[in-house]
């Protein structure tokens, strides 16, 4: 069983940057692909980015390409989401999720473990 805890959210002005962290405990997260999802009030949860277990493969939703970067430090059991050039439409609760397979996935149903979320608010 893997436990995930997100941190790093907050309030930032448009154009600013934030770095989210997802720290794992329990289980064997080094063999797990990890994804970030976000959910704005009244909207469905959307895929943002994912990284393979090795860190060698990443995938992003189109709206964040060139602005967000996902990476991982398996020794520290942490996955990062570096967010730059933030826009008001990036405002959401951001969740990290892990799956018991090494390859990335973009659907929430393909993930087995979820964190509690970290709120990101971008003001205009």
């Amino acid at each position: 069983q893997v436990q995930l805890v997100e941190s790093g959210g907050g309030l930032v002005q448009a154009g600013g940057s934030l770095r989210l962290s997802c720290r794992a405990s329990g289980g064997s997260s080094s063999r797990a692909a990890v994804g970030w999802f976000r959910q704005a009030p009244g909207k469905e949860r959307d895929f943002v980015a994912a990284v393979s277990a090795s860190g060698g493969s990443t995938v992003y939703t189109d709206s964040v390409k060139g602005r967000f970067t996902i990476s991982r430090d398996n020794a520290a059991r942490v996955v990062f989401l570096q967010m730059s050039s933030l826009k008001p439409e990036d405002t959401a609760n951001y969740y990290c999720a892990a799956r018991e397979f090494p390859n990335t996935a973009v659907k929430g149903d393909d993930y087995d473990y979820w964190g509690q979320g970290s709120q990101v608010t971008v003001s205009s």
Side-chain angles (χ1 to χ4, degrees):
Q1 187 95 9
V2 176
Q3 291 82 44
L4 304 171
V5 177
E6 303 95 336
S7 62
L11 173 65
V12 64
Q13 288 189 331
S17 299
L18 281 175
R19 188 177 78 162
L20 300 181
S21 299
C22 174
R23 188 170 299 275
S25 61
S28 182
S29 60
S30 63
R31 294 198 292 267
V34 173
W36 285 95
F37 292 77
R38 63 187 179 186
Q39 187 169 23
K43 295 189 176 181
E44 294 184 351
R45 183 182 62 197
D46 292 328
F47 170 77
V48 177
V51 60
S52 62
S54 68
S57 178
T58 58
V59 60
Y60 299 88
T61 192
D62 286 346
S63 63
V64 308
K65 285 180 181 176
R67 300 189 299 122
F68 291 12
T69 302
I70 189 170
S71 61
R72 65 190 297 160
D73 181 343
N74 281 343
R77 305 190 73 185
V78 181
V79 173
F80 302 101
L81 185 68
Q82 177 68 47
M83 305 184 293
S84 303
S85 301
L86 283 162
K87 305 175 181 179
E89 51 264 44
D90 294 318
T91 295
N93 204 1
Y94 282 71
Y95 299 88
C96 70
R99 63 194 301 257
E100 292 183 341
F101 293 94
N103 51 310
T104 60
V106 301
K107 294 193 298 182
D109 289 346
D110 290 332
Y111 287 81
D112 303 294
Y113 307 104
W114 291 82
Q116 294 300 307
S118 182
Q119 178 66 37
V120 171
T121 303
V122 184
S123 64
S124 57

